Amino acid sequence: MIKHFFTNIFRNIRHNVVFTVINFTNLIIGFTVFVLFSVVIGFEINFDKFNTNYNQIYRVQTKQEDSYPINYCAYSPPAYRFHLMADLPEVEKVLLMREVSGGAKGSGQFFTLPDGGQLYEQNGYWSENSIFDIFTVQLIEGDKTSALTEPNTIALSETVANKLFSDGNAVGKQVIIGKRFPLTVSAVYIDFPKNSTLQPTYMVSMATYQGLSGETKFREDWTSISFDNYVLLKKGADPKLVDAKIKDAFKYVKNFEKSSPYLHPLSKLHLSPNSQPDMMIGLGILSLAAILVLILTCVNYVNLSLANSTQRSTEIGIKKVIGSSKKLIATQFLAETVIHSIFATIIALFIARASFPLLNHLLNKNIEYSLWDNTQLLFFIFLVSLLVGVLSGLYPSMVISAYSPVKVLKGKIFSNGEKSINIKKILVATQFSISLFMLIVSFILFNHVNFILKKDLGFDSKNILYTEINPRDNISFETVKTSILQHPEIADISFSSTIPFVGNIGGFVSWEGASIDEKEMVSRNYVNYDFIPTYNIKMAYGRNFSKEYPADDKACIINETAMKVFGWKDPIGKHITLSGRSYPVIGVVKDFHPYSVHNPIPTYVMFLNSNLISGSTLLSVRFNGDEQKAKTLVTGELENIFPNAPFEFKDFSVAFHLDEAIAFWQTMKRMFVFFSAITLLISTIGLFGLILFTIKRRTKEIGVRKVLGSSVGSVYWQLSTEVIGMLGFAILVGCPAAIYIYKTMPGAYKEPLSVTEFVIAIVLVAIIAFATISYHVLKLAVSNPVEALRYE
């Protein structure tokens, strides 16, 4: 029985090579896409699950209700660690961390190599030793119990240790950071997995930070919301109870009364780090697209199987005549479908594995994933394969097994009404709707990404170089400026605490005309006289900071958004208050984007820096002509001025393109272009099956029409009317669905919808549809009508 069953399968494959290739191609495409995105979604939702204590780890974040909209800040002050979390009975372990540069300008540092060269490494942290108790970190060298307990010690990732000490045995050796901080290597750990929220390439002991900042000031700091506080709750502890206990922590902290800490679980740190749904929305859209591709695959299989049933009519009729039951025939066809599905899945697994480089390019990620070692994922994929096989084969097996043996043997299997063909039309119309929807959304995303890339930022972002520098000694900015501007290739230079897209300093202010308790979270920047001209930011009212006005060091400049928020119509001379100090407004700049173009322009305030470069500072240079020449010139001058301060100039475009929102939407654009191509291909296969089915059903009718003098054009029209109806249905369904996606897309600024996007998508789908029809019509045009009349 089983031998006969498999013999039938291979015989049918041999006799119907074209249908087999088309159907297998359809299944393989669908399953390859499904496997790839099962891997992607599995990678994303399994972030941090390698940690043994995954379900007990929380980050203590800060909700700032004074801000509009409410800001769910991922960071928190160090006082949480010492006065809030350590003594709670629900807490087993606490961990305080901070990015090495404080988070405002990145966490990169220069390591001095043995040959005197410099190695720049990002993602460095100050950290307590409890990181080894809370997170699952594997040490290659060193002792977990004491690796980060002593001052002036550092733990290196395996990658960084190999760069610094190629001969191994790093523990006990010394490294120098920033050309002036000698640290002793206390441990080497295996690099954190790619799907880890934390990715420290090196960790300096928090005791080192405490020694630099001062013990008392550090422990009592409630206002420096720039640290990471992690806690490991005891098993069975209720995080909501902890939230209730800590929510009033800022009650008596001046200017922070409306802030409150809350626990954010490790399970949400990757997908929703700031309690924002963007990542979840993106994954949801990708999941929907993958499911739609799988649905299209099932629909195609149904259509192609029914179209192919004409080739097997004799087999079906004979089996029925000799006594095969409807159930047995249905089981055979259903089993064939399941086997096809499983074989297609196996092939798809190998294709998907080979396609990982393309997938990583589309997603702009570096996913390292072993399909063969992940038994849960493999089980899930084959379970879906089995389900798809059953769903795809169920309807064709029921229809085919129900054919009358007399009609089948006489070749009249299509003479029993229009019900079957109508179902096929509905299925193909659904395919067109999905394809049109995906295509329109692709155009929308493509235009949206171009919109945010080309959006007016409110300042001139071209020909800007920037670097972070942290000199050991205070240097007059005039010394730097005179040295740099002697070169005609350099147009302007300035220094500031932050620059657009790099850094963020917040703070609560009150303003003239506000009620007693009314405060607003603002973004602030400390700039020099040259900052506004260097970035070519336009003044709306008043003036820039000027050396002609000595009192400007006690004044401020705001943006137009701040003026609106404060309710001022005549802002010049009005006052704002920050940390108890009043600052008169001397100017208002036109709104510009200091951060992501994905977010609304914030309330922004600039204060005047002293003329001394001290501590961590951002230098900005506007150049003329050749970028590389300008970079060489300014680098040479600064190396002479700051011989003990490492730095590296970068093009401003680097900072702009590192913006998470831009990266997110560029990934979404690439993914939808990919999905659109796949859905169009699958829909074309589906239409091919439908037209082939239609022609087989109407072969004799078409032959009669040709004998009676009907032209190829009239036959074409007969076939195309069905497709026109399906396209109409697709337009009615696909266009409103795409508009809904556009309206629900997150982001403060969007490219306005254009009719062009819809027209191009409809025309493209129509061209593909009519090109498919044309293939079959041309084939009919050259055929002999006598052959059609002998069809029975």
Side-chain angles (χ1 to χ4, degrees):
M1 178 68 182
I2 296 176
K3 181 181 178 182
H4 171 72
F5 176 73
F6 279 100
T7 301
N8 264 342
I9 291 177
F10 289 115
R11 183 188 296 125
N12 289 324
I13 290 173
R14 190 172 63 254
H15 290 170
N16 301 285
V17 175
V18 174
F19 269 101
T20 301
V21 170
I22 293 173
N23 232 341
F24 261 102
T25 301
N26 165 65
L27 287 173
I28 290 168
I29 290 171
F31 279 119
T32 300
V33 171
F34 179 76
V35 169
L36 284 173
F37 287 95
S38 293
V39 169
V40 172
I41 294 164
F43 179 80
E44 298 294 347
I45 65 175
N46 284 303
F47 249 69
D48 299 308
K49 285 189 177 179
F50 68 92
N51 289 289
T52 305
N53 301 315
Y54 173 76
N55 293 317
Q56 297 166 251
I57 301 173
Y58 294 80
R59 186 166 66 193
V60 192
Q61 303 192 162
T62 307
K63 181 181 178 182
Q64 298 172 314
E65 294 189 63
D66 292 63
S67 176
Y68 181 81
I70 294 174
N71 182 32
Y72 292 88
C73 181
Y75 298 111
S76 53
Y80 280 5
R81 159 69 175 86
F82 302 103
H83 299 289
L84 192 62
M85 309 308 302
D87 298 325
L88 288 175
E90 294 85 0
V91 175
E92 185 171 322
K93 292 283 183 178
V94 293
L95 166 64
L96 185 65
M97 300 181 73
R98 187 182 190 182
E99 293 177 47
V100 167
S101 293
K105 308 174 187 69
S107 52
Q109 281 290 333
F110 288 90
F111 287 78
T112 301
L113 294 169
D115 61 1
Q118 298 293 312
L119 171 68
Y120 184 76
E121 282 295 334
Q122 292 184 309
N123 299 334
Y125 283 86
W126 309 96
S127 176
E128 292 185 304
N129 196 69
S130 53
I131 188 171
F132 301 113
D133 300 315
I134 295 178
F135 292 94
T136 301
V137 187
Q138 298 181 44
L139 261 58
I140 300 172
E141 298 179 48
D143 183 1
K144 284 187 178 183
T145 61
S146 58
L148 291 174
T149 56
E150 298 299 320
N152 305 318
T153 55
I154 183 171
L156 303 175
S157 69
E158 184 179 14
T159 299
V160 174
N162 289 337
K163 291 178 182 177
L164 294 172
F165 308 103
S166 56
D167 58 346
N169 300 318
V171 169
K173 294 180 181 178
Q174 194 175 75
V175 297
I176 298 174
I177 291 182
K179 290 187 177 181
R180 52 177 165 155
F181 295 111
L183 300 169
T184 302
V185 179
S186 58
V188 177
Y189 55 89
I190 294 176
D191 292 45
F192 279 62
K194 298 293 184 184
N195 59 343
S196 172
T197 302
L198 270 180
Q199 291 285 343
T201 55
Y202 62 94
M203 296 184 285
V204 184
S205 68
M206 187 59 74
T208 308
Y209 182 88
Q210 288 179 253
L212 293 172
S213 61
E215 178 74 18
T216 303
K217 178 184 176 183
F218 173 67
R219 295 176 70 92
E220 304 300 325
D221 188 349
W222 283 90
T223 59
S224 297
I225 303 180
S226 55
F227 289 75
D228 289 314
N229 276 277
Y230 290 94
V231 295
L232 175 66
L233 296 189
K234 294 177 181 177
K235 289 185 178 181
D238 184 359
K240 291 182 180 179
L241 180 61
V242 177
D243 275 343
K245 288 183 177 182
I246 65 177
K247 69 176 183 178
D248 294 327
F250 284 97
K251 189 174 182 180
Y252 300 108
V253 181
K254 189 176 181 181
N255 297 320
F256 288 82
E257 295 88 349
K258 291 187 178 181
S259 295
S260 59
Y262 68 98
L263 297 186
H264 201 52
L266 183 64
S267 59
K268 293 184 179 179
L269 292 193
H270 174 64
L271 296 179
S272 181
N274 300 312
S275 302
Q276 298 300 316
D278 290 20
M279 187 69 173
M280 294 294 291
I281 291 173
L283 274 184
I285 292 174
L286 291 182
S287 300
L288 173 64
I291 291 170
L292 290 178
V293 169
L294 211 54
I295 291 172
L296 292 180
T297 301
C298 293
V299 171
N300 270 0
Y301 194 92
V302 171
N303 282 339
L304 292 168
S305 295
L306 289 174
N308 188 40
S309 64
T310 59
Q311 302 292 327
R312 303 182 63 178
S313 58
T314 304
E315 174 197 345
I316 298 165
I318 292 173
K319 282 186 176 182
K320 284 213 163 191
V321 168
I322 64 176
S324 289
S325 66
K326 177 180 176 181
K327 182 179 179 181
L328 185 62
I329 294 173
T331 302
Q332 177 192 332
F333 276 85
L334 186 59
E336 285 182 18
T337 307
V338 171
I339 290 172
H340 289 169
S341 180
I342 291 173
F343 272 118
T345 301
I346 293 171
I347 296 171
L349 284 169
F350 285 98
I351 295 175
R353 185 63 190 88
S355 303
F356 272 15
L358 172 62
L359 182 70
N360 282 324
H361 172 71
L362 289 172
L363 294 173
N364 196 26
K365 289 181 179 289
N366 185 22
I367 296 176
E368 295 176 354
Y369 206 83
S370 174
L371 275 170
W372 320 120
D373 295 337
N374 194 325
T375 53
Q376 285 185 330
L377 180 61
L378 286 174
F379 176 77
F380 173 71
I381 289 170
F382 278 106
L383 186 64
V384 172
S385 172
L386 181 63
L387 181 64
V388 168
V390 170
L391 292 177
S392 299
L394 194 60
Y395 177 69
S397 65
M398 292 173 64
V399 171
I400 293 168
S401 63
Y403 290 153
S404 165
V406 176
K407 289 183 178 180
V408 167
L409 293 175
K410 291 180 68 178
K412 297 183 177 181
I413 61 173
F414 299 123
S415 61
N416 54 349
E418 295 291 315
K419 182 178 179 181
S420 179
I421 191 67
N422 286 338
I423 292 175
K424 293 175 191 61
K425 289 179 184 177
I426 292 170
L427 293 176
V428 175
T430 302
Q431 285 183 314
F432 275 134
S433 301
I434 293 173
S435 297
L436 184 62
F437 162 76
M438 296 290 287
L439 201 57
I440 295 171
V441 172
S442 295
F443 288 145
I444 289 173
L445 289 175
F446 186 85
N447 289 335
H448 178 66
V449 171
N450 288 338
F451 171 74
I452 60 177
L453 288 176
K454 296 177 182 178
K455 189 179 187 302
D456 182 10
L457 299 176
F459 62 91
D460 187 357
S461 63
K462 296 177 182 176
N463 294 357
I464 291 282
L465 296 172
Y466 75 96
T467 188
E468 180 184 358
I469 197 162
N470 191 358
R472 183 178 299 182
D473 302 314
N474 295 345
I475 300 290
S476 169
F477 174 71
E478 292 303 320
T479 302
V480 178
K481 183 176 180 180
T482 302
S483 175
I484 298 296
L485 291 184
Q486 68 176 313
H487 300 283
E489 291 85 358
I490 310 303
D492 287 298
I493 181 172
S494 68
F495 77 98
S496 54
S497 299
T498 71
I499 64 172
F501 293 88
V502 181
N504 177 17
I505 304 174
F508 288 102
V509 301
S510 60
W511 60 94
E512 190 175 319
S515 61
I516 296 175
D517 296 328
E518 195 172 7
K519 293 183 178 66
E520 174 71 18
M521 171 61 75
V522 301
S523 293
R524 52 193 169 112
N525 193 6
Y526 294 87
V527 305
N528 76 324
Y529 302 103
D530 306 279
F531 179 80
I532 290 176
T534 297
Y535 280 89
N536 198 17
I537 300 170
K538 305 299 182 184
M539 299 297 302
Y541 305 96
R543 60 177 176 84
N544 184 21
F545 296 114
S546 172
K547 295 177 184 177
E548 297 178 5
Y549 298 89
D552 277 3
D553 62 349
K554 300 178 180 64
C556 69
I557 295 174
I558 64 174
N559 67 349
E560 291 176 305
T561 295
M563 185 180 79
K564 294 172 187 174
V565 168
F566 300 155
W568 293 340
K569 292 184 178 179
D570 184 14
I572 306 303
K574 295 286 198 303
H575 286 71
I576 67 168
T577 303
L578 173 68
S579 301
R581 184 175 175 180
S582 181
Y583 297 84
V585 176
I586 62 169
V588 177
V589 293
K590 290 189 174 182
D591 277 341
F592 67 97
H593 284 276
Y595 314 119
S596 172
V597 294
H598 185 62
N599 298 323
I601 293 173
T603 307
Y604 195 82
V605 182
M606 287 180 275
F607 303 93
L608 187 61
N609 254 326
S610 72
N611 200 42
L612 291 176
I613 298 177
S614 61
S616 181
T617 300
L618 284 167
L619 289 174
S620 302
V621 173
R622 179 172 294 281
F623 62 90
N624 300 312
D626 182 66
E627 178 181 327
Q628 190 55 48
K629 184 178 181 181
K631 187 181 291 187
T632 302
L633 287 172
V634 295
T635 298
E637 294 292 347
L638 289 184
E639 283 178 343
N640 292 329
I641 299 171
F642 304 105
N644 297 316
F647 61 89
E648 181 183 20
F649 272 99
K650 299 176 184 177
D651 190 297
F652 177 78
S653 63
V654 173
F656 177 73
H657 286 283
L658 284 176
D659 176 50
E660 290 182 1
I662 291 174
F664 172 79
W665 286 114
Q666 285 181 319
T667 297
M668 291 297 292
K669 178 189 78 172
R670 288 192 293 267
M671 292 312 304
F672 262 87
V673 169
F674 171 75
F675 272 125
S676 295
I678 294 297
T679 54
L680 281 173
L681 176 60
I682 293 176
S683 295
T684 302
I685 293 173
L687 182 63
F688 182 91
L690 176 68
I691 298 301
L692 195 56
F693 184 90
T694 302
I695 288 174
K696 288 180 181 295
R697 181 177 64 93
R698 300 172 65 179
T699 298
K700 188 172 182 179
E701 174 197 339
I702 293 169
V704 171
R705 288 178 180 273
K706 290 184 72 177
V707 168
L708 295 176
S710 290
S711 65
V712 173
S714 64
V715 174
Y716 186 89
W717 175 250
Q718 287 290 324
L719 293 173
S720 62
T721 51
E722 295 179 356
V723 177
I724 291 172
M726 289 186 287
L727 282 174
F729 177 83
I731 292 169
L732 291 175
V733 174
C735 292
I739 293 171
Y740 174 77
I741 291 293
Y742 170 81
K743 289 184 176 180
T744 54
M745 277 169 47
Y749 307 97
K750 298 179 186 178
E751 169 78 352
L753 273 180
S754 169
V755 176
T756 306
E757 297 161 347
F758 293 84
V759 171
I760 293 175
I762 292 168
V763 169
L764 186 57
V765 172
I767 288 172
I768 291 172
F770 286 106
T772 306
I773 296 174
S774 300
Y775 166 79
H776 291 291
V777 172
L778 289 173
K779 191 175 179 182
L780 276 174
V782 297
S783 66
N784 189 340
V786 175
E787 294 297 324
L789 294 176
R790 294 169 60 186
Y791 181 63
E792 290 191 17

